[in-house]
Amino acid sequence: MPKRSSSLPPWLRTILIAFAMGFGAVLILFPAWLPDKKSIPMEDGVVETLQSALLAFSAALMFATAPHAGSFRAVYRSLGLLTIAFLMAEIGGAIDDNIHPLKHEYLMVPLLCWTGLTLFRRRRQTLHFIGFASRHPASGFVLAALILNYAFSRVFGSKAFWQASLGSGYNPDIPPTCRGYLELLACYFILLGTIGYCLPLIRRRYRMSTDP
């Protein structure tokens, strides 16, 4: 039985996907449009919650895809654990408050060590995945997320940068707000990259299940 082709031409599908990604990048920053009168406390809470939700969903996608990843199962699980480590770093303050006097680093370090050990034991699969990822557009989103989180958020979230830029008009609320929104955008890019890595396996599983 012949397979039914997609109703949308490839060029239109590409445009729609690009539009959806761009619209999502704007929509994810919706706390910026909250009322100004009580914006800072409310925005901080909403931004932190959205960051955690995006990272948690990314980790869940990795774990859900791992059973269908074949020889790359351990790699996807390791990436899921790595995303959880990022999530712990994001909500580190809340974790520290609940496990005082311990700190969230005590949970992150074993998690990162286990992830590194797993990837080292699966060196062949890890190298093959790196080769796959280097050619996949999703890696661009992951790289952009790392740049946003570890470069731009550090610069535009610094007190010295805004003091030098604004002078007497400096507002101490500006650095943490900029840093929070840049980190939020980075979490969104991580989600897009995760979807890009997981989607080929999901599509392959669907095709195998629908083939006669």
Side-chain angles (χ1 to χ4, degrees), residues 17 21 131-144 189 192-197 200:
I17 292 174
M21 290 178 176
F132 157 76
S134 65
R135 301 187 301 271
H136 200 288
S139 299
F141 288 107
V142 175
L143 180 61
F189 284 164
L192 290 181
T194 301
I195 294 173
Y197 291 144

Side-chain angles (χ1 to χ4, degrees), residues 21-74:
M21 290 178 176
F23 180 73
V26 175
L27 185 64
I28 203 68
L29 301 178
F30 84 91
W33 314 116
L34 291 174
D36 292 337
K37 291 184 179 180
K38 50 180 181 179
S39 61
I40 296 303
M42 185 184 297
E43 285 179 11
D44 282 350
V46 172
V47 169
E48 292 291 333
T49 301
L50 283 174
Q51 290 176 8
S52 302
L54 291 172
L55 290 175
F57 188 58
S58 299
L61 278 177
M62 285 293 184
F63 287 124
T65 306
H68 314 292
S71 61
F72 296 107
R73 180 179 303 178

Side-chain angles (χ1 to χ4, degrees), residues 8 11-21:
L8 295 176
W11 64 269
L12 181 58
R13 188 164 60 244
T14 301
I15 291 176
L16 290 176
I17 292 174
F19 175 79
M21 290 178 176

Side-chain angles (χ1 to χ4, degrees), residues 62-145:
M62 285 293 184
F63 287 124
T65 306
H68 314 292
S71 61
F72 296 107
R73 180 179 303 178
V75 176
Y76 275 80
R77 285 178 177 171
S78 297
L79 291 176
L81 291 174
L82 189 61
T83 308
I84 290 179
F86 289 149
L87 175 60
M88 287 182 177
E90 186 59 42
I91 60 174
I95 295 177
D96 294 345
D97 293 339
N98 286 278
I99 63 173
H100 185 78
L102 300 178
K103 296 184 178 296
H104 67 280
E105 288 87 352
Y106 298 147
L107 300 176
M108 286 181 58
V109 171
L111 195 62
L112 292 174
C113 290
W114 178 264
T115 301
L117 181 62
T118 302
L119 294 176
F120 180 76
R121 292 176 58 188
R122 304 291 194 282
R123 293 185 297 275
R124 184 176 179 182
Q125 292 85 351
T126 302
L127 291 175
H128 285 173
F129 180 83
I130 292 174
F132 157 76
S134 65
R135 301 187 301 271
H136 200 288
S139 299
F141 288 107
V142 175
L143 180 61

